[in-house]
């Protein structure tokens, strides 16, 4: 679904991403791990087109997208859940979900399925985003990204600052979405146990480089917990 080859990225003179290559496959969760500041968010933003890459290529279903705008990439089927959620605090839950459909035709309904995945959003449909708890906001951000039915879902640290019961719910939804087989998921995580539970494939980054990769089931044996321990 997604093929990333040899990408390099710089902020001013700092070389942030160094020759990063990986693939994300339909029906699988590809987990990206790494300590603070190693370039995880930068990598995810470059997939979405929010930061430009200097060299390398990004393909979605075999088509190059690295010259496309974020808007075009969203239309091509990428859903993005940013670190820190970035929901619209003054808009209602319903309006936030409609923002996820902004580039579809005006009459596209909010898929009912989103309320099955996250029942709390139904209860709070008229509440302002800013009045939700952190965990509810994260569920809203995920639902907003799912609204246009992406083929590739990218999540940047969805468990950050969230209570355990909601983390469990989010994990269940991610697994279920992957198991349906029609979506590839890239999940960036620093919460090791959550990452390990969900990973079909994993990558570990350090200083902008991929330093380890493999199958999720081998993470413990391959010492990934130690690699990312703070
Ligand atoms: N807009 C920017 N301009 C300049 N440098 C930046 C910018 N954004 C990030 N950086 C730097 O790039 C490096 C990688 O940052 P990035 O946010 O990608 O890391 P991260 O792995 O997502 O970290 P965290 O786990 O804290 O979210 C860091 O050294 C950071 O200070
Ligand atoms: Mg980050």
């Amino acid at each position: 679904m997604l093929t990333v080859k040899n990408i390099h990225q710089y902020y001013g003179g700092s070389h942030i991403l160094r020759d990063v290559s990986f693939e994300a496959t339909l029906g699988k969760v590809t987990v990206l791990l790494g300590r603070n500041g190693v370039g995880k968010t930068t990598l995810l933003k470059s997939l979405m087109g929010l930061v430009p890459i200097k060299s390398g290529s990004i393909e979605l279903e075999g088509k190059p997208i690295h010259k496309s705008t974020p808007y075009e990439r969203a239309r091509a089927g990428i859903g993005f859940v940013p670190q820190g959620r970035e929901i619209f605090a003054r808009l209602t839950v319903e309006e936030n979900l409609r923002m996820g459909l902004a580039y579809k035709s005006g009459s596209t309904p909010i898929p009912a399925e989103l309320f099955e995945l996250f029942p709390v959003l139904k209860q709070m449909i008229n509440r302002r985003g800013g009045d939700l708890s952190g965990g509810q906001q994260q569920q809203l951000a995920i639902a907003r990204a799912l609204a246009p039915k992406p083929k590739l879902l990218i999540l940047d640290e969805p468990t950050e600052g969230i209570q355990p019961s909601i983390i469990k719910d989010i994990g269940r939804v991610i697994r279920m979405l992957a198991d349906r087989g029609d979506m590839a998921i890239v999940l960036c995580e620093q919460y090791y146990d959550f990452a390990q539970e969900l990973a079909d494939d994993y990558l570990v980054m350090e200083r902008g480089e991929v330093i380890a990769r493999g199958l999720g089931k081998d993470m413990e044996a391959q010492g990934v917990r130690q690699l990312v321990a703070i």
Side-chain angles (χ1 to χ4, degrees):
M1 174 55 57
L2 176 77
T3 308
V4 176
K5 282 188 195 145
N6 311 106
I7 63 176
H8 289 265
Q9 192 270 346
Y10 299 78
Y11 284 129
S14 327
H15 197 171
I16 305 290
L17 297 179
R18 300 164 184 266
D19 206 33
V20 174
S21 302
F22 74 98
E23 291 189 10
T25 312
L26 272 188
K28 287 192 177 171
V29 181
T30 302
V31 169
L32 170 65
L33 298 111
R35 297 190 178 101
N36 286 116
V38 298
K40 303 181 300 294
T41 295
T42 304
L43 174 59
L44 301 187
K45 282 186 173 169
S46 66
L47 301 180
M48 197 61 212
L50 299 166
V51 301
I53 56 171
K54 172 92 175 171
S55 58
S57 67
I58 304 169
E59 291 179 2
L60 190 69
E61 295 180 300
K63 295 187 200 89
I65 55 160
H66 49 274
K67 296 203 170 102
S68 307
T69 63
Y71 173 84
E72 289 164 341
R73 295 187 207 198
R75 283 197 74 128
I78 307 185
F80 186 56
V81 184
Q83 188 166 15
R85 313 185 270 275
E86 297 181 16
I87 58 136
F88 299 95
R90 302 180 67 88
L91 300 186
T92 65
V93 166
E94 180 171 6
E95 288 163 342
N96 269 280
L97 292 172
R98 289 205 183 285
M99 293 302 280
L101 295 166
Y103 61 85
K104 297 260 176 183
S105 96
S107 57
T108 309
I110 297 171
E113 188 215 20
L114 298 179
F115 301 113
E116 288 159 27
L117 295 176
F118 301 111
V120 72
L121 298 181
K122 178 122 195 155
Q123 293 159 30
M124 306 213 162
I125 191 84
N126 295 314
R127 196 109 33 116
R128 281 191 189 196
D131 295 337
L132 303 186
S133 75
Q136 291 162 350
Q137 289 186 8
Q138 187 61 260
Q139 294 176 85
L140 176 56
I142 297 171
R144 181 181 61 187
L146 290 172
K149 305 194 166 71
K151 301 172 216 162
L152 170 67
L153 179 67
I154 298 173
L155 303 117
D156 195 351
E157 301 208 35
T159 69
E160 205 176 21
I162 290 181
Q163 68 190 71
S165 69
I166 296 186
I167 290 179
K168 272 215 178 92
D169 290 342
I170 290 174
R172 234 177 273 131
V173 167
I174 292 173
R175 185 74 264 160
M176 202 210 78
L177 291 169
D179 287 348
R180 285 202 306 215
D182 56 2
M183 194 186 286
I185 298 178
V186 175
L187 169 67
C188 164
E189 239 337 305
Q190 288 207 57
Y191 175 17
Y192 178 84
D193 292 328
F194 182 80
Q196 191 200 18
E197 202 174 303
L198 287 169
D200 294 302
D201 298 310
Y202 76 86
L203 302 162
V204 182
M205 279 178 73
E206 203 172 279
R207 278 185 246 113
E209 264 178 294
V210 176
I211 56 152
R213 64 177 85 220
L215 298 176
K217 65 179 173 55
D218 299 330
M219 275 172 71
E220 198 65 29
Q222 291 172 351
V224 176
R225 188 186 289 273
Q226 289 73 31
L227 270 183
V228 297
I230 295 153

